[in-house]
Amino acid sequence: MKKYLNYLSNIGTDPDLARIEQREVILCNKLTLLMIPISILAMIVSFYIGIISAFTSFFVLLIFLGVAFWLNRYRINLLARLVLSIVPSIALIYPFIIGDIVQVNNYSSVSYILIGLTIIPIVLFNKKSERFLIAVNIVFHLAIITYFNYLTLGIGESIFLMLIPQVVLLVLMISAFQFLKRESYLVENDLKETNKALTNSNIEIESMKE
């Protein structure tokens, strides 16, 4: 099983790709593999409780997850990452938009789930070369979160009181993730430098022996 999952995670990778591009492909594949069982479970629950629009929405999401695999296979990685950063959120909100789920308490719950999904584009996109795509995705999710707060509370002071902790939570999550990501890159660069120094030392030792 582990070998098969490793094979699926590496679909679309190639020795000719740069290291960062290979990492993007693998990360995209792993995220897709994580979403597949979650989507299947959501389909089963939706069918069991009789919300057909949610069942259909998550079924369509499964199709798009398959499309993401296909895009990675043919090195269309940017489009695959766009699919993963947007489609899950749309699949989640679709039943609410068409009015199949009308319980008010569910709107605020979905808002916090959407905050969690906002992390996906930050994970998938490069913060230097793809900063614009990250910003667009964050604005997209903030707009949806605001919309759900509006459905719950209407327009007024209370909607801003609800938005403040959600935005603070989002900023804290993004900041924490960026910090951890930066630290991991620094550690990786230190390891590269150490390995390079060891390699040079070994070469010098071998040359002295000769």
Side-chain angles (χ1 to χ4, degrees), residues 23-184:
R23 181 184 296 170
E24 288 171 352
V25 172
I26 293 172
L27 186 59
C28 189
N29 286 333
K30 286 183 176 180
L31 189 57
T32 304
L33 289 172
L34 177 64
M35 287 186 180
I36 287 174
I38 295 174
S39 300
I40 293 173
L41 179 61
M43 284 175 58
I44 294 172
V45 172
S46 300
F47 184 79
Y48 178 76
I49 62 179
I51 305 177
I52 302 304
S53 61
F55 174 86
T56 304
S57 185
F58 286 109
F59 177 74
V60 172
L61 175 58
L62 274 177
I63 295 174
F64 273 98
L65 293 176
V67 170
F69 263 123
W70 181 85
L71 291 170
N72 267 339
R73 172 67 181 83
Y74 292 97
R75 299 187 183 181
I76 315 176
N77 180 251
L78 178 59
L79 187 55
R81 287 181 287 143
L82 283 171
V83 168
L84 289 182
S85 63
I86 295 176
V87 175
S89 298
I90 295 176
L92 179 64
I93 66 175
Y94 174 72
F96 291 88
I97 291 176
I98 67 173
D100 275 10
I101 302 177
V102 295
Q103 291 89 345
V104 171
N105 290 335
N106 287 333
Y107 292 127
S108 58
S109 302
V110 171
S111 295
Y112 283 99
I113 296 174
L114 288 168
I115 290 173
L117 291 176
T118 309
I119 296 298
I120 292 177
I122 299 171
V123 173
L124 292 178
F125 296 114
N126 188 296
K127 69 176 183 179
K128 292 182 179 179
S129 60
E130 297 170 331
R131 190 176 302 170
F132 175 75
L133 293 174
I134 294 176
V136 168
N137 272 278
I138 291 175
V139 170
F140 168 74
H141 283 87
L142 280 174
I144 298 174
I145 291 167
T146 304
Y147 171 71
F148 273 94
N149 283 317
Y150 165 74
L151 291 177
T152 307
L153 304 168
I155 297 176
E157 183 180 352
S158 55
I159 189 173
F160 296 103
L161 294 176
M162 179 65 77
L163 272 174
I164 289 172
Q166 293 175 352
V167 172
V168 169
L169 176 61
L170 178 60
V171 171
L172 288 174
M173 288 175 60
I174 293 173
S175 301
F177 183 82
Q178 291 289 15
F179 174 77
L180 292 173
K181 195 174 181 180
R182 178 178 174 274
E183 289 299 310
S184 67

Side-chain angles (χ1 to χ4, degrees), residues 189-199:
N189 288 333
D190 288 342
L191 289 173
K192 286 180 181 179
E193 292 297 326
T194 302
N195 289 333
K196 185 178 179 180
L198 289 173
T199 302

